[in-house]
Amino acid sequence: MKRAILKQDKGFSLVELIIVIAIMAILAAAIVPAVVQYIDKSRKAMDVQTAQVIYNACELAMTSGNDAAYEGWDVCVTKYGNHSNYPGRAYGTRDGYGKGDASANSGDIANGTAYNMRPVAWCRGVNVNNWQNTLFKSTIDTGRGGNEQRAFTDEMLVCMAQDGARGGHTGNRNYDGETDIGFKSKFRKGIQTLGDGVQYPECWIIYRRDDNGFPEVWVGYKRGSIKPICRIFPEPAKDFK
C-alpha cells in the first residue's frame, strides 16, 4: 500500500509538462490578438466620444449668440477667401481621409468624393518633444485674423467649462492656458495618409468645411503646419470604426 501511494505522488512527467506548456501557448496565441483588438476598439471608441464632445462644443459656440465667436468661426473664409496659402488648408474625402496643404480638384468636388476644409482650432493630443497645448488654440496667429478667430476658440472653451484656458498667449501666438484636463487621444497606431505615408495621430483638429460651413473633428499630425489623417466625428473613417 505504501509503495502505491509513493508512486501516485511523483508529480507530472516531463512529457506532461511539455503538453501543458504547449496548450497554454496555443491558448495565448488565440486569445492575445483578440485582447489587443478589444483594447484598440475600446481606445477608438473613447476617441470618438472625445471628438463628439469637441464637436458639440463647436456647435454650442457657433449658436451661442456671441457675434464675435461666430465671426471668429467664419474668419478663415471671410478674411482669406480662396487663398491657397491659408495656414493648414486641406481637403477631405467622403470616406473620411484627408490631405494637408492642398485643395481638392474641381472634379472631385463636383462628383462629391472630396471637399475643401480649413482648420479653425487645434490641440496637441499627445506630448511631443516635451511640449503639449492641453486645450485648443486658434490656427491663425495674431495680426492675421488670429484675434478674431480666438473669439470662437474662447467661446468653445467656455462651452467645455474650461474658462481658465481662455485667451492665453505667448509672443505673437494665441496659445491656450494650461489645465489639468486636456483632450488626449488614446489610439496611437499608425494610419496610412493620403500624402505622407503612415502617420501617428497626435493632434485634434477642428475643420470648417468650405461647402456647408459645418464643423468636423479630425485627428492629425504636425509637420510645420497641422495636417489631417482621418475624420473622427461625425461619420468616423473606417480606421476608427
Side-chain angles (χ1 to χ4, degrees):
M1 180 66 69
K2 186 180 292 184
R3 182 175 300 172
I5 293 172
L6 290 174
K7 188 174 182 180
Q8 290 175 1
D9 291 340
K10 69 178 183 177
F12 291 106
S13 68
L14 179 60
V15 173
E16 290 171 331
L17 285 171
I18 291 174
I19 292 172
V20 170
I21 293 171
I23 292 173
M24 292 176 65
I26 293 170
L27 289 173
I31 293 172
V32 169
V35 172
V36 171
Q37 186 176 14
Y38 175 81
I39 293 173
D40 284 348
K41 189 173 182 178
S42 175
R43 288 174 174 169
K44 290 176 183 178
M46 292 176 69
D47 280 350
V48 172
Q49 289 178 358
T50 300
Q52 185 173 6
V53 170
I54 297 168
Y55 180 90
N56 290 342
C58 285
E59 288 199 317
L60 286 171
M62 291 167 58
T63 57
S64 64
N66 183 334
D67 291 342
Y70 186 80
E71 291 171 4
W73 171 254
D74 204 40
V75 71
C76 54
V77 175
T78 57
K79 193 174 183 71
Y80 281 84
N82 292 320
H83 290 294
S84 59
N85 64 348
Y86 177 78
R89 192 178 184 190
Y91 73 82
T93 61
R94 185 166 52 187
D95 58 353
Y97 293 87
K99 185 176 181 180
D101 301 324
S103 299
N105 64 51
S106 57
D108 291 335
I109 293 177
N111 62 31
T113 60
Y115 51 89
N116 289 322
M117 56 188 188
R118 311 180 195 213
V120 176
W122 72 286
C123 169
R124 181 82 78 176
V126 298
N127 191 299
V128 177
N129 297 326
N130 297 318
W131 183 85
Q132 177 179 346
N133 55 313
T134 57
L135 280 171
F136 285 89
K137 69 177 288 288
S138 57
T139 54
I140 309 176
D141 296 335
T142 301
R144 297 187 299 155
N147 291 333
E148 295 96 323
Q149 196 177 75
R150 180 75 233 185
F152 167 79
T153 314
D154 281 349
E155 186 67 25
M156 186 184 71
L157 291 170
V158 171
C159 295
M160 291 180 180
Q162 294 300 309
D163 300 39
R166 296 171 58 203
H169 66 276
T170 301
N172 68 334
R173 296 180 180 273
N174 291 321
Y175 288 98
D176 292 307
E178 296 291 327
T179 75
D180 294 328
I181 297 180
F183 286 90
K184 296 184 178 180
S185 55
K186 303 296 183 182
F187 187 70
R188 294 293 319 285
K189 291 192 175 179
I191 300 173
Q192 181 67 45
T193 69
L194 296 182
D196 291 335
V198 175
Q199 295 292 335
Y200 295 83
E202 61 181 42
C203 302
W204 295 106
I205 310 172
I206 298 170
Y207 281 104
R208 182 194 189 280
R209 290 181 57 152
D210 275 10
D211 56 355
N212 57 25
F214 291 167
E216 290 188 343
V217 182
W218 289 59
V219 287
Y221 57 104
K222 190 173 189 298
R223 300 293 181 272
S225 62
I226 51 174
K227 299 181 180 182
I229 296 177
C230 60
R231 186 175 60 228
I232 308 299
F233 197 87
E235 300 179 15
K238 65 179 180 179
D239 279 277
F240 275 80
K241 289 182 178 178

